[in-house]
Amino acid sequence: MALKYFSAFVLLVGLGLLLVGASHYMKTKDFLTHSTTTTGRVIALESSDTGDQVKLRVRFLDHTSSAVEFTSSVSNSSAYAMGDHVELVFLKNDSQVAKLKDFKHLWENVVDPLALGSLFTLIGWLMVRKRRRSLSSPYDFQQCSEEVEEEVEADIYHLVCDHRITVDGQHPFVVICHWRDPKTNQLHELISDEIYFNPAPYLAEDTVRAVINHRDPNKSYLDLSFLPKSVA
């Protein structure tokens, strides 16, 4: 039961991340559609509070030739220096909304959730699929927990002397029994190994103990261990 909810949780997290990635993609696409590209100049490099990134302050001229400044965080501070020219994009109707024109600043918030969402969705789907296949298996948990072999009482149907076989001048006998599975109503016929004496005097009952193999009926057999090894 716990695995059922966990697999559903993983799948939902994956689908949620995919939705987030798709939402960011549409926003980025809309931003690029309504933006224009220009070149700005780095006027300041400021350390961030965490210390693992640097805030890059850039100044550029918008479409009205007005000077605009914006700040962008970068992880590789050595790639920038004071006075460097950088390419950027900004909204035509709002020049205060600007981003550096590179893959990280434009598409990172799209790629990350899509990649994680794909991974979580795949794992969750495989877990759900595996669980469903196990539930739909011919041998469900309850059936697999049972023993494959079952001892039953099979009805003696016929005692036959097989004249096709002769060993030391004797024809073997075989015992043929029938047993009907009460669950499936399937009739099983079981034939004993060759017996080189007449076992009729030892078959006092109308039934014989049989071992039924439910997984492989060909491995079912009659238990005639009560018969003597030989008769003088």
Side-chain angles (χ1 to χ4, degrees), residues 135-200:
L135 291 177
S136 61
S137 173
Y139 299 98
D140 58 21
F141 178 80
Q142 182 178 359
Q143 187 173 3
C144 287
S145 65
E146 298 175 355
E147 293 185 2
V148 175
E149 294 184 340
E150 178 186 4
E151 295 184 3
V152 300
E153 292 294 324
D155 296 324
I156 298 176
Y157 175 69
H158 207 17
L159 177 62
V160 179
C161 182
D162 192 348
H163 293 278
R164 298 172 300 174
I165 302 175
T166 303
V167 176
D168 296 334
Q170 290 184 316
H171 301 299
F173 288 84
V174 292
V175 180
I176 302 175
C177 294
H178 285 172
W179 177 76
R180 187 177 298 277
D181 191 336
K183 297 180 181 178
T184 63
N185 202 37
Q186 180 181 359
L187 182 66
H188 295 262
E189 183 175 79
L190 301 98
I191 302 176
S192 71
D193 294 333
E194 290 85 0
I195 306 170
Y196 286 91
F197 61 87
N198 188 351

Side-chain angles (χ1 to χ4, degrees), residues 11-35:
L11 184 60
L12 288 176
V13 169
L15 293 175
L17 287 171
L18 289 177
L19 289 175
V20 171
S23 176
H24 285 314
Y25 170 79
M26 297 303 297
K27 291 179 180 179
T28 301
K29 183 180 179 182
D30 183 69
F31 170 76
L32 293 175
T33 301
H34 298 90
S35 64

Side-chain angles (χ1 to χ4, degrees), residues 66-172:
S66 300
V68 180
E69 295 181 7
F70 78 97
T71 301
S72 180
S73 297
V74 294
S75 56
N76 186 9
S77 60
S78 61
Y80 301 95
M82 294 285 292
D84 282 353
H85 288 83
V86 293
E87 196 172 17
L88 58 94
V89 289
F90 65 92
L91 285 179
K92 298 175 183 178
N93 58 353
D94 187 359
S95 57
Q96 296 294 326
V97 181
K99 294 183 179 181
L100 294 179
K101 191 178 182 180
D102 57 31
F103 182 84
K104 173 180 174 60
H105 291 87
L106 290 177
W107 299 106
E108 184 178 40
N109 61 350
V110 176
V111 174
D112 287 352
L114 286 180
L116 287 175
S118 299
L119 179 62
F120 274 76
T121 301
L122 177 61
I123 294 174
W125 177 78
L126 289 175
M127 293 174 67
V128 171
R129 182 171 179 265
K130 182 178 180 180
R131 183 177 180 276
R132 286 184 176 178
R133 288 184 63 182
S134 65
L135 291 177
S136 61
S137 173
Y139 299 98
D140 58 21
F141 178 80
Q142 182 178 359
Q143 187 173 3
C144 287
S145 65
E146 298 175 355
E147 293 185 2
V148 175
E149 294 184 340
E150 178 186 4
E151 295 184 3
V152 300
E153 292 294 324
D155 296 324
I156 298 176
Y157 175 69
H158 207 17
L159 177 62
V160 179
C161 182
D162 192 348
H163 293 278
R164 298 172 300 174
I165 302 175
T166 303
V167 176
D168 296 334
Q170 290 184 316
H171 301 299

